[in-house]
Amino acid sequence: MLFQKKKKKKNSIVKLVLIDLLDKNVDIYRNSTTNFFEETTSESLGRYVILSYTYKLNGSRSKKEKA
């Protein structure tokens, strides 16, 4: 994750994620146990950007506002 911004009311979040920033197109998966080690490489989708916005409908109220 590259960037995350929360608003003052803490009920919304904006995220910016860059995938495969160097454009290598390679995914690496590594799995190891005490007796076994496995490394798998495969081609990825390539370079892309994800921008997401999350808004909580219930919000987050402070204790003073609830009383």
Side-chain angles (χ1 to χ4, degrees):
M1 181 172 26
L2 181 67
F3 172 78
Q4 180 175 343
K5 175 71 177 168
K6 293 184 179 183
K7 300 273 185 170
K8 279 188 174 182
K9 293 183 179 180
K10 296 182 182 180
N11 58 350
S12 63
I13 300 172
V14 177
K15 293 181 187 178
L16 177 65
V17 180
L18 301 173
I19 306 297
D20 197 16
L21 186 61
L22 300 176
D23 203 20
K24 296 289 185 182
N25 293 335
V26 177
D27 285 336
I28 298 173
Y29 174 75
R30 292 184 178 140
N31 184 21
S32 65
T33 63
T34 55
N35 298 324
F36 180 72
F37 178 78
E38 177 185 22
E39 180 174 304
T40 306
T41 59
S42 61
E43 290 188 22
S44 67
L45 294 174
R47 188 184 321 178
Y48 59 96
V49 177
I50 299 173
L51 177 65
S52 68
Y53 177 78
T54 306
Y55 183 79
K56 295 179 185 177
L57 294 176
N58 63 353
S60 60
R61 298 180 185 178
S62 66
K63 292 181 181 178
K64 291 179 183 178
E65 291 179 10
K66 289 181 181 178

